[in-house]
Amino acid sequence: MRRLLVLALLLTACGQTTPAAAPVEQKAITVQNCGRTLTFDQPPAKVVTGYQPSLETLLALGLQDKIVGRTAFEENGPDGFLPGQKAFYDAIPQISETIMLPQKEVMLAQGADFVIDNGQSSFDPAGGYATVDELQTAGAPVFVLGNWCSPEETLKSTVEQTFIDLRNLGIVFGVQDRAEKLIADLQAQLADVEKRVAGRPKVKVLATDGGTGPVTAYGGAGLMNQMIAKAGGENVLAATQADYSEFSVEQVAAANPEALLVIDYVVYDGKAAPTADKKAADVLGVAKNSPAATEKRVLPIPAAAAHPGYRNILAIVEMAKFLHPDAFV
């Protein structure tokens, strides 16, 4: 009798319908960028990248399969790519013949759901480009690296913004673990540099893009100034509240640099650019009595490294090795 009762209870239980679990509401993905809240229902899957540092940053996060279009990157020639990234670059469709995003009609036709770049130039309607608002309306939120959201914000840019960008991109694409691992690696490299150059005399540095008068160089505001300091250098134009700007012959000669960082690219606006050697010779001719001229102490820096992105930290390591070689023996 007891067995029959148990069996009856089991059969009754099996006949009952288990209530369906309530659907779990998917939380929207949100991050802050340039004072805007970017919202996504799911990670982007059709990404367009602008100037090369934006592509490099996504590739460093392993997001190459998400990128459906990129701009051209010929400014540093075939040797201008970070290790292992050239093959990914070649596999992604090129949608612009320059480092800028394509014109408005072409850009909107991409059907992108995410656009990433290094500043506002490619969103200027005066240049025929789709604006940030137009892309947002088309379902393609814009993410600007380095907080280069305006000329004023560009002056305030710091190296630490790289980590903020990587963390936010990790959230957007659902690869937080990958992003945190990359951040930890880059922070470890910076900490190693800081430890090695600590206590050593700072090397007086002029970072320049050439010229014989005026001379194009980097002042005491912005990303390059931060990078020089992280590498154990002292920007000789730090007293000027400028970033990439023009300086007089008198200012450059009086700066008396001990070392020169030269922004290097082989193509600009489709035309051959002066070589790093030519630009260095011009600037050292202006600062002809400086220790940098006497010792011909020059390091070319790829132009991409002077813009926000993953490459910034790698460039700081190279700059530190150049300025303080004995610290890396």
Side-chain angles (χ1 to χ4, degrees), residues 155 206-221 235 237 239-253 255 265 268 283 286:
L155 293 176
L206 173 65
T208 179
D209 197 10
T212 55
V215 172
T216 304
Y218 291 83
N235 184 355
L237 296 174
T240 64
Q241 290 304 303
D243 185 22
Y244 184 85
S245 189
E246 291 185 340
F247 296 87
S248 70
V249 168
E250 291 76 16
Q251 283 177 294
V252 172
Y265 46 94
Y268 180 74
V283 175
V286 173

Side-chain angles (χ1 to χ4, degrees), residues 19-319:
V24 178
E25 184 178 350
Q26 179 69 37
K27 291 185 178 180
I29 304 166
T30 62
V31 296
Q32 297 295 314
N33 184 258
C34 285
R36 297 173 289 115
T37 299
L38 307 187
T39 304
F40 307 86
D41 294 328
Q42 58 187 2
K46 297 183 68 177
V47 180
V48 168
T49 63
Y51 182 40
Q52 188 73 6
S54 61
L55 174 60
E56 292 174 342
T57 301
L58 293 193
L59 293 182
L61 286 167
L63 297 170
Q64 56 271 7
D65 293 340
K66 306 288 186 181
I67 306 169
V68 298
R70 57 154 179 82
T71 61
F73 184 61
E74 299 177 352
E75 66 173 19
N76 281 112
D79 298 325
F81 294 87
L82 292 174
Q85 291 197 351
K86 180 66 161 60
F88 294 126
Y89 172 89
D90 290 338
I92 298 169
Q94 179 172 302
I95 60 173
S96 171
E97 296 298 319
T98 72
I99 63 174
M100 306 287 284
L101 291 172
Q103 294 288 283
K104 178 178 176 177
E105 293 76 13
V106 176
M107 185 65 206
L108 293 176
Q110 301 304 312
D113 58 8
F114 188 82
V115 178
I116 180 171
D117 207 343
N118 305 76
Q120 295 293 317
S121 298
S122 281
F123 309 107
D124 184 358
Y129 301 106
T131 67
V132 169
D133 288 341
E134 286 172 333
L135 288 165
Q136 176 73 41
T137 300
V142 173
F143 189 101
V144 177
L145 289 172
N147 210 39
W148 278 22
C149 312
S150 68
E152 295 76 22
E153 291 299 322
T154 299
L155 293 176
K156 301 175 184 177
S157 186
T158 66
V159 171
E160 284 69 23
Q161 185 66 41
T162 297
F163 307 130
I164 297 172
D165 288 340
L166 288 171
R167 185 163 288 118
N168 282 335
L169 289 170
I171 293 170
V172 169
F173 287 93
V175 292
Q176 292 96 320
D177 289 348
R178 207 181 297 171
E180 292 301 328
K181 183 177 180 181
L182 183 58
I183 290 168
D185 174 66
L186 295 176
Q187 288 178 331
Q189 292 188 55
L190 273 182
D192 180 63
V193 166
E194 182 178 15
K195 180 179 178 181
R196 290 175 182 271
V197 304
R200 293 174 178 268
K202 294 185 182 299
V203 179
K204 294 181 179 179
V205 175
L206 173 65
T208 179
D209 197 10
T212 55
V215 172
T216 304
Y218 291 83
L223 183 58
M224 180 56 70
N225 185 65
Q226 293 269 329
M227 293 170 66
I228 291 170
K230 295 282 186 185
E234 177 185 340
N235 184 355
V236 293
L237 296 174
T240 64
Q241 290 304 303
D243 185 22
Y244 184 85
S245 189
E246 291 185 340
F247 296 87
S248 70
V249 168
E250 291 76 16
Q251 283 177 294
V252 172
N256 202 36
E258 297 172 329
L260 211 63
L261 303 178
V262 180
I263 303 304
D264 186 23
Y265 46 94
V266 298
V267 176
Y268 180 74
D269 199 21
K271 300 177 182 178
T275 65
D277 287 344
K278 174 65 167 61
K279 288 190 280 191
D282 287 345
V283 175
L284 292 179
V286 173
K288 58 186 177 182
N289 296 319
S290 68
T294 301
E295 300 174 17
K296 293 182 172 54
R297 194 175 178 185
V298 178
L299 176 69
I301 296 291
H307 295 74
Y310 163 74
R311 189 191 282 251
N312 295 151
I313 313 306
L314 310 183
I316 290 170
V317 175
E318 291 306 307
M319 289 161 58

